[in-house]
Amino acid sequence: MSSHRSGLKQSNKSFKSKHATKGQAKRENKGKVNRQPVKGRHTTVSKQDRRNQSKQDQKTKRMDQVRMARLYNGMHATPKIVAVVPLCPDVSAHKCVEEMFKSVDTEVTPDYVLPLERFKQRLQFVPAQRHLLEILDACRIADFIIFVLSANEEVDAFGEHCMTLIKAQGVVQSIHVVQHLETNAPKMQHAVRGSLIYYMTHHFPEQDKLYALCQPTECVNALRQLTSQTPHGIHWRDRHAYVVADNVQHIPGEDTLLVSGFVRGNNLSANRLVHIPDFGDYQIERINLCPTKSHEMVEDTLLEQPDENQDDLVSENEPNPLDAEQTWPTEDEIMEAEERVRDQEHMQVEEPFEGPVHKKRVPKGTSSYQAAWIVDDVSDEEVSSDEEMTEIQHNDEEEEPEYEEVEMDNRSELFNELDEDENEEQLQEYLRQKEHRDHREFPDEVDTPQEIPARERFARYRGLKSFRHSPWDPYENLPEEYARIFQFQNFKRSKKRVMDGLEEGVSVGTHVTIALKNVPSAVAEAYQNKLLCLFSLLPYEHKISVVNFVIKPSQSYQEPVKSKDQVILMSGFRRFVAQPIYSSYTRGGPNNVHKFERYLPNHQPSVATIYGRIQFGPAPVMMFKFEQETSWTPERVTSLIGTGNVLDLDPLRVITKRIILTGDPFKIHKRGAVVRFMFFNPEDVKYFKPVQLVTKMGRVGHIRESLGTHGYMKCIFDSAIKQHDTVMMMLYKRVFPKMSTRLWSQQ
């Protein structure tokens, strides 16, 4: 028997509504809010638009390359600056330059400028000694760097230290050469080359070639590479116009310094200030055209002179102490004040009050002070007790044991005491290390003083319910230094306006003579045997404001660095001594509050804040330990604390110092607890009652009432606390850096 089985199974499509329910729409959006697109902005870009955009980018890059090629091509064009850095103890930068000149049959010139007719370019070598600052100065202005290695000795710690700082400062294209390769056996030369290439590619992966200075053909190949490449430059340096001097002359009567050289980086304006390393900022008097073929100073062709928009040398505001909200006193108030003064004067000249004279009968020879302690009426019980005491004293004298005298050696003469200065120095170092150890074990914890009330000791501190969201007025209780600094109303807009105005001035590649006003003769004397480089400042960069740096500590430096300790900061082309304060490197909440760090953290970046010159970032920063006698030679190099860059200019950044007052749970009952040893009088408990309490195990509570007279208090928490837990109260106050930034010079 068979039954019909249908082979058709109809499956209908599910219903899809155009408008979903509110609940379904909320689940799909997951809290996202539909926003209207910005007017004028294309949401989609067509394929043809992308092609046009890429063509425009290619055209812009091609024009930049052509401009850079025209800048350096020609026998009288701008020479490429090549810094020569020795990395090993047995190599010489001057010997490397001599080999380069010798490979093209040219004698070494005093300015180390090598004309290459074959490549139609000029190279200006800057050989550096094994001196850290000299190496950094040479690499700061260089278009290329030649690292000189040795085939006999390895790169020492000083060489690795130099490479680390060069990369932190900003590095350009580099080539690597080797000396003393001919002293090795021919079979070992290939292995030596491979080892050096492997070492250098670890630091500079883009360069995998090594040239031997003992072979003239390889020297020519190195010169060919230098002339064929286009310098990339350094971003922070190329924002400024800078001039590498090929002639310096000082006019004594006028205190005018004449500096000739090619304009590099950006256009040079006569209205901008000029920074001379180690000496400060100066104004430009005029800019003249200097002939390229000769380096004689000429004053015929005037290119640019400053006008009424020239930047001044005022770096700070002059606050008026009377510039505040005041009300002039009325005549009635003046008369009342004069009458009050007369009354006070009358009270001062008034004769002292003489009360009735009280006389007391005392033994002969007793002074008035001793007589005040003698009681007039003596009871019979007191007399009997005195007689008993005298009898006990007599009995004790009879039973007193016998004593003998023993002569002692004076051993203090055998101890060699330290000098006072040396002893004080060791004491300060011991206290410094002890304070750092205590801070690591118990960060921010302080003991409540018993001599003075806590409400007076911590009067400047306040409690915060939320560190990130509790409001804090940035203009509240500002120090006097804030009246002397400058603040941008809109920093991003000001920076954009400054960057858009860089096209004004003398164009790049022009050989000019710059006349600087009011320059002392010590500048010319200091740069007689040294290469001088002038850096043009951007607008506002001479003013002082609150500057924030991001500092990443060096792994090799293990000593504690306390806030407000003096350090040497090298930021871009500036060097100065400052006393920064450190704070946490966090994004911060809506209140812009950041936690103060008593010591620079060792394993995480931190923000250093100082009063310093305005600098539009990004720019590299290097921090060194400050010493009275700094040394930059391989024998003893000043310790590097950390490296970083410029973060921002924000005087409204609130840096708060936190202290933690701790208490011990004395009695616990459910959610309540009696806490002691946080305060020592009931007035302090009442004063700090609104501040929130927390425990180390995460409980949150508040003070309910004071108990007794010794600072005990009853507290309520969100849940029961443990007996071994610790109750904490966190207080905060705003801190500011010291106004002690000054120019640092190695002279």
Side-chain angles (χ1 to χ4, degrees):
M1 186 175 177
S2 63
S3 61
H4 175 71
R5 182 176 297 175
S6 176
L8 178 62
K9 291 186 178 180
Q10 183 177 358
S11 59
N12 297 327
K13 294 177 66 176
S14 59
F15 175 74
K16 293 184 178 179
S17 175
K18 183 177 179 181
H19 300 285
T21 60
K22 293 183 179 180
Q24 186 177 354
K26 187 181 296 184
R27 286 191 297 270
E28 290 180 356
N29 292 332
K30 296 180 179 179
K32 293 184 291 185
V33 180
N34 294 327
R35 299 180 59 187
Q36 296 293 333
V38 181
K39 295 182 179 180
R41 180 177 297 177
H42 298 284
T43 56
T44 59
V45 181
S46 64
K47 188 175 182 180
Q48 187 63 31
D49 293 338
R50 292 196 299 269
R51 285 181 178 176
N52 294 337
Q53 183 65 33
S54 62
K55 286 182 180 180
Q56 290 179 2
D57 294 340
Q58 292 176 4
K59 185 178 179 180
T60 303
K61 291 181 180 179
R62 192 179 299 111
M63 292 182 64
D64 291 341
Q65 290 181 355
V66 172
R67 182 179 58 85
M68 294 296 293
R70 290 176 180 175
L71 179 63
Y72 297 108
N73 285 339
M75 296 306 297
H76 301 291
T78 305
K80 294 180 179 178
I81 299 178
V82 182
V84 185
V85 179
L87 297 180
C88 301
D90 62 336
V91 297
S92 173
H94 294 274
K95 183 67 176 177
C96 175
V97 175
E98 293 176 1
E99 294 293 338
M100 293 292 181
F101 275 82
K102 186 178 179 181
S103 64
V104 292
D105 299 330
T106 306
E107 295 183 358
V108 181
T109 57
D111 54 358
Y112 296 105
V113 177
L114 175 60
L116 298 171
E117 297 182 359
R118 182 190 306 182
F119 307 111
K120 295 182 180 180
Q121 289 188 13
R122 293 193 303 164
L123 299 178
Q124 182 178 357
F125 293 95
V126 183
Q129 302 288 341
R130 285 177 61 83
H131 189 275
L132 184 59
L133 293 186
E134 187 175 346
I135 291 174
L136 292 178
D137 290 342
C139 296
R140 184 171 57 187
I141 62 175
D143 300 316
F144 296 94
I145 300 177
I146 296 179
F147 290 106
V148 186
L149 303 170
S150 174
N152 298 332
E153 294 190 18
E154 297 180 351
V155 179
D156 58 354
F158 179 78
E160 293 184 353
H161 189 58
C162 291
M163 286 192 291
T164 301
L165 294 180
I166 290 173
K167 289 187 288 185
Q169 179 179 254
V171 65
V172 294
Q173 297 103 307
S174 63
I175 67 172
H176 312 144
V177 299
V178 57
Q179 287 184 355
H180 312 308
L181 187 62
E182 70 279 2
T183 59
N184 293 270
K187 294 183 179 180
M188 295 297 297
Q189 292 182 4
H190 182 72
V192 172
R193 278 176 175 269
S195 176
L196 294 176
I197 291 175
Y198 179 79
Y199 174 78
M200 293 304 295
T201 51
H202 174 70
H203 294 277
F204 305 98
E206 67 278 358
Q207 179 63 27
D208 57 352
K209 293 182 180 180
L210 184 68
Y211 301 99
L213 294 177
C214 59
Q215 300 179 11
T217 55
E218 295 199 13
C219 292
V220 174
N221 292 336
L223 295 176
R224 180 180 289 108
Q225 182 177 351
L226 292 174
T227 54
S228 61
Q229 289 185 351
T230 302
H232 292 169
I234 305 175
H235 181 63
W236 67 266
R237 181 191 67 184
D238 294 341
R239 288 201 307 264
H240 303 79
Y242 64 99
V243 177
V244 179
D246 49 35
N247 198 352
V248 180
Q249 181 181 350
H250 185 265
I251 302 177
E254 303 177 2
D255 280 342
T256 303
L257 186 70
L258 302 179
V259 180
S260 65
F262 288 91
V263 179
R264 302 169 182 267
N266 219 314
N267 294 342
L268 178 63
S269 175
N271 291 332
R272 306 282 82 85
L273 300 178
V274 171
H275 178 78
I276 300 179
D278 299 341
F279 287 95
D281 305 336
Y282 297 92
Q283 289 181 321
I284 296 178
E285 184 176 353
R286 62 185 179 275
I287 301 177
N288 298 330
L289 179 65
C290 184
T292 308
K293 296 184 180 180
S294 62
H295 299 310
E296 298 178 357
M297 301 293 179
V298 294
E299 302 181 4
D300 301 344
T301 308
L302 180 64
L303 292 180
E304 190 171 348
Q305 266 188 331
D307 52 19
E308 65 276 2
N309 296 325
Q310 185 181 21
D311 296 339
D312 53 20
L313 293 175
V314 177
S315 60
E316 300 180 6
N317 283 321
E318 295 183 1
N320 185 7
L322 302 179
D323 188 11
E325 185 178 357
Q326 296 180 352
T327 56
W328 191 259
T330 61
E331 295 182 359
D332 296 339
E333 294 176 346
I334 294 176
M335 294 177 60
E336 183 180 354
E338 293 177 352
E339 184 178 357
R340 189 183 305 113
V341 171
R342 287 195 299 267
D343 293 343
Q344 292 179 355
E345 293 177 353
H346 178 70
M347 291 175 62
Q348 291 177 0
V349 300
E350 202 173 355
E351 295 183 359
F353 172 77
E354 296 182 359
V357 180
H358 178 69
K359 296 183 178 181
K360 182 182 293 186
R361 183 181 179 87
V362 296
K364 187 177 181 179
T366 305
S367 62
S368 59
Y369 175 78
Q370 294 173 340
W373 291 89
I374 298 177
V375 183
D376 295 337
D377 299 333
V378 182
S379 60
D380 299 337
E381 296 179 357
E382 293 177 349
V383 173
S384 61
S385 62
D386 292 340
E387 293 177 355
E388 293 176 1
M389 288 295 296
T390 53
E391 293 179 359
I392 294 173
Q393 290 178 1
H394 287 300
N395 296 334
D396 292 343
E397 291 177 359
E398 295 177 358
E399 298 177 359
E400 183 178 359
E402 297 181 358
Y403 294 92
E404 59 180 359
E405 296 181 357
V406 180
E407 295 183 359
M408 304 295 293
D409 296 335
N410 188 9
R411 298 186 179 272
S412 60
E413 299 177 357
L414 303 177
F415 176 70
N416 296 326
E417 294 187 357
L418 301 175
D419 296 338
E420 293 184 1
D421 297 338
E422 187 176 359
N423 188 29
E424 182 67 21
E425 182 179 355
Q426 293 185 5
L427 176 61
Q428 295 299 330
E429 182 65 23
Y430 168 74
L431 295 177
R432 184 186 183 88
Q433 296 290 343
K434 182 178 180 299
E435 185 179 0
H436 185 241
R437 287 196 306 269
D438 295 342
H439 176 70
R440 285 186 301 176
E441 295 178 2
F442 309 101
D444 301 332
E445 292 189 13
V446 297
D447 296 330
T448 305
Q450 302 185 28
E451 301 83 13
I452 58 177
R455 59 186 181 278
E456 298 179 5
R457 172 63 180 83
F458 307 118
R460 297 179 57 188
Y461 290 83
R462 68 180 69 178
L464 294 179
K465 186 176 182 180
S466 174
F467 185 79
R468 292 176 56 87
H469 298 90
S470 296
W472 194 306
D473 186 8
Y475 296 100
E476 177 186 359
N477 296 330
L478 295 178
E480 296 181 358
E481 289 79 7
Y482 265 60
R484 299 163 54 187
I485 65 175
F486 291 84
Q487 178 191 358
F488 290 100
Q489 187 175 3
N490 191 329
F491 176 71
K492 292 184 179 180
R493 186 183 303 171
S494 301
K495 181 178 180 181
K496 185 179 183 301
R497 185 175 65 251
V498 168
M499 296 304 172
D500 293 342
L502 297 180
E503 303 298 330
E504 304 175 356
V506 182
S507 60
V508 179
T510 308
H511 196 257
V512 298
T513 298
I514 306 174
L516 302 179
K517 298 188 297 184
N518 302 325
V519 181
S521 59
V523 177
E525 296 175 357
Y527 287 97
Q528 285 183 353
N529 301 321
K530 187 179 175 183
L531 192 62
L532 172 62
C533 181
L534 305 180
F535 290 92
S536 176
L537 301 181
L538 300 179
Y540 313 116
E541 284 196 334
H542 184 70
K543 310 299 182 182
I544 292 180
S545 182
V546 177
V547 188
N548 300 312
F549 306 99
V550 178
I551 299 297
K552 184 179 180 181
S554 176
Q555 297 180 357
S556 60
Y557 192 81
Q558 299 297 331
E559 297 182 10
V561 182
K562 192 176 181 181
S563 289
K564 297 186 180 181
D565 280 354
Q566 288 189 346
V567 295
I568 300 175
L569 285 173
M570 299 184 183
S571 176
F573 48 80
R574 296 185 185 274
R575 291 177 183 147
F576 46 88
V577 179
Q579 295 178 274
I581 60 174
Y582 307 107
S583 58
S584 58
Y585 181 40
T586 56
R587 188 175 181 179
N591 53 6
N592 197 21
V593 175
H594 304 267
K595 182 180 176 299
F596 169 77
E597 300 287 350
R598 288 179 173 82
Y599 293 88
L600 181 67
N602 293 331
H603 304 291
Q604 61 183 5
S606 180
V607 177
T609 304
I610 65 168
Y611 293 113
R613 307 283 182 181
I614 293 174
Q615 188 169 6
F616 296 102
V621 176
M622 293 174 287
M623 181 186 293
F624 294 88
K625 181 181 179 181
F626 176 77
E627 298 175 349
Q628 296 296 336
E629 297 181 0
T630 56
S631 176
W632 309 97
T633 57
E635 289 76 15
R636 190 176 68 88
V637 184
T638 302
S639 301
L640 174 68
I641 298 176
T643 58
N645 54 7
V646 178
L647 178 61
D648 57 11
L649 307 172
D650 189 9
L652 303 183
R653 179 185 175 94
V654 180
I655 303 175
T656 57
K657 179 180 179 181
R658 184 184 71 176
I659 62 171
I660 301 177
L661 305 181
T662 58
D664 176 54
F666 181 56
K667 292 181 180 180
I668 300 174
H669 179 68
K670 294 183 179 181
R671 294 193 304 117
V674 177
V675 181
R676 60 177 180 177
F677 301 152
M678 182 178 291
F679 304 107
F680 297 98
N681 55 75
E683 290 80 9
D684 290 342
V685 176
K686 184 178 180 181
Y687 181 84
F688 290 98
K689 185 178 180 180
V691 183
Q692 180 177 287
L693 299 176
V694 296
T695 68
K696 289 190 175 181
M697 292 188 176
R699 305 278 71 85
V700 180
H702 63 276
I703 301 174
R704 187 166 184 177
E705 60 181 351
S706 175
L707 299 177
T709 60
H710 292 78
Y712 286 53
M713 55 187 181
K714 185 178 181 180
C715 306
I716 302 297
F717 297 91
D718 55 355
S719 63
I721 65 174
K722 304 294 183 181
Q723 188 67 44
H724 59 275
D725 203 350
T726 303
V727 181
M728 301 183 298
M729 176 182 289
M730 298 183 183
L731 303 175
Y732 303 88
K733 79 168 181 178
R734 188 176 180 181
V735 294
F736 301 90
K738 283 189 175 182
M739 195 75 159
S740 60
T741 305
R742 66 181 187 276
L743 184 68
W744 183 85
S745 175
Q746 60 175 331
Q747 302 298 328

